[in-house]
Amino acid sequence: MSHRSHLFSLRPAHALRESLSEGYDARRLGRDLTAGLTVGLIAIPLSMALAIASGVAPQYGLYTAIIGGFLIALLGGSRYSISGPTAAFVVILYPVAQNHGLTGLLLATMMAGVLLVAMAVLRLGRLIEYIPPPVTLGFTAGIAVVIATLQIKDFLGLPLEALPASFPAKLAALVTALPALHPASLTVAVATLATLLIWPRLKTPLPPHLPAVLVGALLALWFNHHGAQVPTIASRFHYVLDNGLSGQGIPPVLPELAWPWARHGETLAWGALWEMAVSLVPTAFAIAMLGAIESLLCAVVLDGMTGRRHSANSELLGQGIGNMVVPLFGGITATAALARSAANYKAGAQSPVAAMVHALVVLLAMVVLARWLGYLPMPAMAALLMLVAWNMSEAPKALKLVRRAPLSDVLVFLTCFGLTVLVDMVVAITVGVVLAALLFVREIAAMTRVADITRSSRVSDYQPPADWGVFKISGALFFAAADRVFAELAELAGERRVLVLYMDGVPVMDAGGLAALEGFLARCEQAGTRVRIADLQFQPLKTLARAGVLPREGAWSFHSTLDDALRAPA
């Protein structure tokens, strides 16, 4: 199949097409409008908070929700997913913003978008099936810890300009600064967090994020009026537009179209741009991998909630195109957000139109309410992200895994968690997947066994000679098990003249298993021991045929059944 037909088979806008083909009327549109408005209200403060946590000004989070949220919903393969900035990316994006600025962040996002499109074209949508749950749970819990740690500074109002790069150094800096805790900021943060926790119990249709940040903003206004000076978005951030207009907080204008390396009147030289792009390749790969995992995990969970099925490769295509376009408007990395997507479905969403409405709600709020959004206090933003981090950590599920899962799964989880917090998320996922694979291989290899069945009732009825041995091999004959199995077989066989290998329990043989079998047959031939191989399954038989392993007169032979092997003349 050509790449062109391959891309065509991905069905861009799969979710939207599927929804519209079922019949789209005014009732469904009304439910989409309601859901889009609800999720849009959630996304406004959350998008700003996540942009700040990622090391950039809050408007870039809004740009991401607007452009990414609309485009990915339009082109993707998951009906209810809401895309925008997410907490999972903070641990990757924050170091990039610190080291390369906004230009590096936008460039890495665009490169990740290209990789996501390539993954879709290569039909890698089932990638999520190869990531073991302990790995996913480990790195998400680790990311949650990193996010929560980054919010402590604003939550407590500590006078720290920036936190060190390493996690232990962050903790040390926070502990050192604790005596300078700002009571007013802490009060605003606690009030916001309390509202976030209590509001859902009131069972109102209004999402808790809006009243929570409103409570925080009113408290901050009161404190600021009385001279306590709680930092807000307007006091922390300022903007300068290309037309010379400047101000505090968020610019009340539409996101402008520009190359990532040519924003705010500054153009990066091609040589410097190339060097930056090369240095960002590992980061772009990490963003693409995490974006694929996050979006597909979200789609799988939504499928379980709704009974629908998403198109994995179409979703990757939508995510890829969205992340290629978002940086052109100043947006940072976007992917599907499970909490917002679940809220979208629970609010009555019927199609991706709800997600597109959510993007338009954020756009309207940015243009109309930009001045008022500047009053949102930084401690309230930190409290919002603290709750996001807690929900993301899935602490109850992690504790259950530690208590009940096999030791190998616990080891993988703790390794991924520790590496995410202390080293790097890319290292954590890589090591976690490799470790999980190695432990799994070890367990599968231990299941491959050889048993002496010479004296079993089925064999003894044939009354084989005393110098015969019948051995049953069970399990996969692959590189991790084959050498051990044939070493055990040689020890069990001893000095017997004829060996019958009953292999109906061997479903798979790889190159390692083939090499071990050939080595065993060669040693038996040298020792003058005849080998009869009985009841091969299709895959091992095909492997032997392809390798040209044929019967050898006086050395070894193949038999269709165990009965034939036992009855054949010596």
Side-chain angles (χ1 to χ4, degrees), residues 46-57 60-61 64 85-99 101-102 105 147 150-151 237 332-333 385:
L46 205 54
S47 298
M48 292 190 293
L50 289 167
I52 294 167
S54 299
V56 295
Y60 298 113
T64 307
T86 61
F89 284 107
V90 169
V91 70
I92 301 177
L93 303 186
Y94 184 79
V96 177
Q98 297 299 304
N99 296 325
L102 178 64
L105 204 56
I147 292 171
L150 290 172
Q151 304 319 305
F237 299 98
I332 59 176
T333 308
L385 286 180

Side-chain angles (χ1 to χ4, degrees), residues 112 161 192 249 299 406 425 495 546:
E161 288 296 324
T192 304
M425 195 204 69
E495 302 297 328
R546 178 175 292 180

Side-chain angles (χ1 to χ4, degrees), residues 27-385:
R27 182 189 64 84
R28 298 185 73 185
L29 175 60
R31 298 189 71 178
D32 277 340
L33 290 172
T34 302
L37 177 62
T38 301
V39 184
L41 293 175
I42 296 173
I44 293 165
L46 205 54
S47 298
M48 292 190 293
L50 289 167
I52 294 167
S54 299
V56 295
Q59 64 264 27
Y60 298 113
L62 297 176
Y63 298 161
T64 307
I66 294 166
I67 306 299
F70 190 93
L71 265 183
I72 295 171
L74 175 66
L75 299 172
S78 180
R79 185 176 300 207
Y80 303 104
S81 290
I82 299 289
S83 294
T86 61
F89 284 107
V90 169
V91 70
I92 301 177
L93 303 186
Y94 184 79
V96 177
Q98 297 299 304
N99 296 325
H100 300 284
L102 178 64
T103 298
L105 204 56
L106 302 184
L107 183 59
T109 297
M110 185 176 285
M111 292 163 63
V114 174
L115 291 173
L116 282 166
V117 171
M119 290 166 67
V121 173
L122 293 172
R123 318 292 286 184
L124 298 180
R126 290 297 157 195
L127 175 75
I128 188 63
E129 296 175 359
Y130 300 98
I131 307 295
V135 174
T136 306
L137 196 58
F139 79 72
T140 51
I143 289 170
V145 170
V146 173
I147 292 171
T149 304
L150 290 172
Q151 304 319 305
I152 292 174
K153 176 173 73 75
D154 285 330
F155 193 95
L156 302 178
L158 302 179
L160 293 171
E161 288 296 324
L163 290 173
S166 72
F167 185 77
K170 283 185 178 73
L171 291 182
L174 291 169
V175 170
T176 303
L178 273 179
L181 177 147
H182 190 227
S185 294
L186 177 60
T187 303
V188 170
V190 170
T192 304
L193 187 58
T195 308
L196 285 167
L197 296 174
I198 295 171
W199 190 265
R201 299 181 182 180
L202 303 179
K203 306 296 183 183
T204 67
L206 188 65
H209 300 71
L210 192 61
V213 295
L214 185 59
V215 167
L218 291 175
L219 264 176
L221 277 173
W222 187 85
F223 278 121
N224 288 336
H225 180 71
H226 288 81
Q229 297 305 313
V230 175
T232 63
I233 285 177
S235 68
R236 178 73 61 84
F237 299 98
H238 71 279
Y239 59 86
V240 179
L241 302 180
D242 290 341
N243 59 10
L245 181 66
S246 64
Q248 299 295 118
I250 296 170
V253 295
L254 296 174
E256 61 176 8
L257 178 64
W259 291 111
W261 51 87
R263 287 196 162 268
H264 308 305
E266 297 179 5
T267 302
L268 200 63
W270 285 109
L273 178 63
W274 174 254
E275 289 181 8
M276 181 183 290
V278 171
S279 69
L280 288 173
V281 167
T283 301
F285 180 77
I287 292 173
M289 287 297 296
L290 184 58
I293 293 169
E294 284 284 300
S295 60
L296 296 180
L297 264 179
C298 179
V300 168
V301 172
L302 289 171
D303 285 353
M305 294 172 61
T306 65
R308 300 279 185 176
R309 283 186 62 83
H310 71 284
S311 171
N313 292 306
S314 296
E315 178 66 8
L316 286 183
L317 181 66
Q319 294 286 341
I321 295 174
N323 280 285
M324 288 170 62
V325 175
V326 159
L328 297 176
F329 293 89
I332 59 176
T333 308
T335 191
L338 181 55
R340 276 165 276 169
S341 301
N344 182 44
Y345 170 69
K346 291 175 182 177
Q350 300 292 299
S351 74
V353 172
M356 291 187 273
V357 171
H358 130 274
L360 296 177
V361 169
V362 177
L363 173 63
L364 182 65
M366 189 192 71
V367 174
V368 176
L369 303 176
R371 176 187 172 189
W372 303 104
L373 293 176
Y375 288 105
L376 295 180
M378 297 303 296
M381 298 289 99
L384 191 62
L385 286 180

Side-chain angles (χ1 to χ4, degrees), residues 93 199 280 330 351 355 365 388 393 402-403 411 418-419 449 469 509 544 559:
L93 303 186
W199 190 265
L280 288 173
S351 74
V388 169
S393 71
V402 170
R403 289 172 181 168
L411 177 61
L419 287 175
R449 298 177 180 176
M509 179 188 294
L544 289 168
H559 304 267

